[in-house]
Amino acid sequence: MQRWCLVVLAVVASSWSAQAEPWKPAAGPLMTRWGKQVKPDAVWAEYPRPQMVRRDWQNLNGLWEFDVAQTDEAPPLGKRLAEQILVPFPIESALSGVMRSAERAWYRRTFAVPQAWSGQRVLLHFGAVDWESTVWVNGRKLGTHRGGYDPFDFDISDALRPTGPQELIVGVFDPSDAGTQPRGKQVRKPHSIWYTSTTGIWQTAWIEPVPAAHVTALRIVPDLKAGKLRVTASGTPKAAGRQVEFVATVGDQRVAMATGAVGQTIELTIPKPRAWSPADPFLYGLTVSLAGGDGKADTLESYFGMRDIVVGKDDKGVQRLLLNGRPVFQFGPLDQGFWPDGLYTAPSDEAQRYDLEVTRRLGFNMVRKHVKVEPDRWYYWCDKLGLLVWQDMPSGDRSVDSGKGEIQRTADSARQFETELDRLVETHANHPSIVMWVVFNEGWGQYDTVRLAEHVKQLDPSRLVCGASGWNDMPAGDVHDIHKYPGPATPMPEERRAAVLGEFGGLGLPLVGHTWQSEKNWGYRNLKSLDELNDGYRKLLDALQPLIAERGLSAAVYTQTTDVEIEVNGLMTYDREVIKLKPETARAAEKLEEPRP
């Protein structure tokens, strides 16, 4: 699978050897232990899309040429750029080597296409580029993509030269908080709960060969009660009408197989399905094979989990969140997904896995991914480790006045938000770990809440929907979600909706030597010692217990996984060197009794 990765990285490194100093990270305020290990010839080397894995591919991460761009500037075709940048780290990050803001920028590099790929189409993939990106290959403009969180690709076959180096140029534009586009916590002037912006390529870039008739997307929907898996494979126009085969496996053993046409929803019967849950995150393998009329087949490796998530009544008639038919209290941290050295991009796959392993170790079975979308491999680790995920749509535009009502968005603002919302659901809907889509957070950019909550439910009926987390509740979605600092508190369960606490806690504690800045750090509650924090955390969990048992609370989200820049509300320091909770305090989560059916 990674057979060509080292080749392309060597090409990039050699192209810079004669013109630039050896790469090193910029001198940022704080570095993680994984950041200290980053090397340009082996950065984010894992195949980036675990649910659509092809055998042959070529990683384009590594050193690229870089320069700041001006409005309406022509692409620098055939020209060496002034600086270098380490992809896939954002321009503003220390690990990029640049670490400064740039609203517009150019990326340039060359790559070689393996001779063994001759006769196949070649796809160029980007995991994510923030926010607008325009791509040229060998001087040919391939297109422009708008959206900072969703993957996109181009078929570059017709732009490739027969032999020799291929030139790739990417122009980026990102207005950050000067624009209305979805951006999450990114701002040009960070303060309190607002953090440094991300511009440019911030997830893996890669190329791979495919037949002319190939699969472009999968939709995998489990039906645990019926023991069925429903799968749809979308394909290129040349794949229309062709047969696609799906094989479900456990290890090397085939447990189900079915065939049908591209674009058709096909059912596999899964014998005695083993349910996926935090207690048993069992995953089945899935092989997808598309027959080609030219004798070439497109074969993909994927996986799935059999699980069910709904709102339903317990034995007392209270609406609860039911996982696989039984009430499970969902408890987890608010996870911002920022890193001191990589900002939006973790230093490595190992680093992002560490955050999730610590989350499980601290007694949590859920995580709320807060107004950010992560690389696919982050969700893969949630699938593997057994973490339920509440996935926020990144917010944008402006907030409602006084925390009430809804805003009036322009047509362009609404169109972009809804385009990126649809892409979020469509590109992440196969992960069993994701159990809830959160459309709006605390009145930020909130408009047409009822319509959009219903729209997301139509897009994905297999998951729960939260129309608005905190502040401005509307009669929409599957949950009534409130925020309370430090809390805890609960709304009352309703006839249709369960009661959840979308944010609480926020116990702040800066630890000397592990902060973004030496003083003037910020927390919802400012504490003075680890003992004080641990005592406060235990009291919060003790207060949760009666809300669960007596008042119908079904979930709670503690703020937050780590410190982020000057915000010190984390269960870990920003550099991940200190876990603030003691083991005995973390075990307090075990006292949160799950209501029984």
Side-chain angles (χ1 to χ4, degrees), residues 555-573:
V557 179
Y558 180 87
T559 300
Q560 57 193 15
T561 304
T562 72
D563 298 343
V564 183
E565 299 193 358
I566 71 167
E567 184 180 355
V568 290
N569 296 305
L571 295 165
M572 287 188 284
T573 55

Side-chain angles (χ1 to χ4, degrees), residues 132-154:
E132 178 186 276
S133 48
T134 305
V135 179
W136 291 262
V137 171
N138 295 326
R140 178 182 293 192
K141 182 178 177 179
L142 298 178
T144 297
H145 176 83
R146 286 186 163 190
Y149 299 95
D150 56 297
F152 61 98
D153 61 72
F154 296 103

Side-chain angles (χ1 to χ4, degrees), residues 27 68 86 103 260 291 324 326 382 466 539-540:
V68 174
L86 186 59
E103 186 176 84
N324 303 329
R326 62 179 289 264
C382 292
C466 174
K539 289 178 179 177
L540 289 176

Side-chain angles (χ1 to χ4, degrees), residues 3 7 13 54 69 92 214-215 220 300 330 364 370 376 395 402 404 483 545 554 585 595:
R3 62 197 302 184
V7 173
R54 290 188 172 97
E92 297 88 343
H214 63 269
V215 173
I220 303 171
L300 304 168
Q330 298 186 20
F364 299 114
H370 193 40
D376 253 0
S395 302
S402 304
K404 297 180 180 179
H483 296 176
Q545 186 65 45
S554 287
T585 305

